[in-house]
Amino acid sequence: MTRKTITVKGITIGEGQPKICVSMMGSSLSQLLEEAEHVKTLGADVVEWRVDFFEQVEQINAVKEALREIRTVLSEIPLILTFRSAKEGGEKEISTAYYFELNQYIVETGLVDLIDMELFNDEEAVKTFIEAAHRRGVYVIISNHDFHQTPPKEEIISRLCKAQELGGDIPKIAVMPTSSTDVLTLLDATNTMNEQFADRPFITMSMAGKGVISRLAGEVFGSALTFGAAKTASAPGQVPVKELRDVLNLLHTNL
């Protein structure tokens, strides 16, 4: 099966080592700009703005202004914008209508390279959004997060395939292990997805301390991107960027 890759600002997701993404989670613009300056020094491949942490997220113009200033600092690095909903572990509850309005508005600014859209929304609305993003040259990550458990292997694969079928450029799933067996389930699902179903890059991870191996071994099993911690981790189990890069290099040289 021919596998697509995605290249943004010279970074190709879906070939070679998994790319490292760092999340910014400041609540104010001044915090975010400080974070952006810090992130630039870390050597991450991609940056994610977790806009659900931004105290003015419900003022759409404030989001645009903040994004413009962040972009000035991070002009050379691929930028993902993510509003993580409360039901999937995010910081804030907003209406579905505003969730789509905000994401649509962000796409129209032309200031982001990738945008995260959650899988469990109305299918037609998701498809329409993806088409709109693609018209603006923005790639879409279709994501699903389970902070309580690890679904069975078949269900993990099914959700990744669904994201692919909807037209998402990068399917993503993050699950919580309650045992080391759960971590193996996630890795097994990743490997099967990689070998049998994926026609584009995808991202998987098992969270918390138990799941750290999944954040390191993406090149072995098929996950194309991993999240590293800057000052604060955006999810349980993230490894600081420098240590993460060292391990990815170690595995890459020995494969």
Side-chain angles (χ1 to χ4, degrees), residues 49-52 54 56-68 70-71 79-83 98-117 129 132-133 136-139:
W49 178 19
R50 278 287 302 274
V51 72
D52 49 302
F54 184 48
Q56 292 178 284
V57 69
E58 292 179 69
Q59 297 163 41
I60 229 159
N61 281 324
V63 174
K64 184 178 180 178
E65 285 315 307
L67 183 56
R68 198 183 298 284
I70 288 165
R71 202 29 143 176
L79 183 63
I80 304 171
L81 187 128
T82 300
F83 185 99
Y98 184 69
Y99 175 79
F100 276 96
E101 184 189 348
L102 175 67
N103 279 311
Q104 185 65 51
Y105 183 84
I106 295 302
V107 159
E108 295 302 327
T109 67
L111 291 167
V112 299
D113 303 295
L114 303 106
I115 201 154
D116 182 297
M117 166 70 51
F129 174 77
R136 297 288 302 189
V138 176
Y139 293 107

Side-chain angles (χ1 to χ4, degrees), residues 119 153-163 165 193:
L119 174 64
K153 175 186 174 180
E154 294 69 28
E155 178 60 22
I156 293 171
I157 293 169
S158 164
R159 290 179 195 178
L160 289 167
C161 286
K162 184 71 180 169
E165 284 158 24
M193 181 72 189

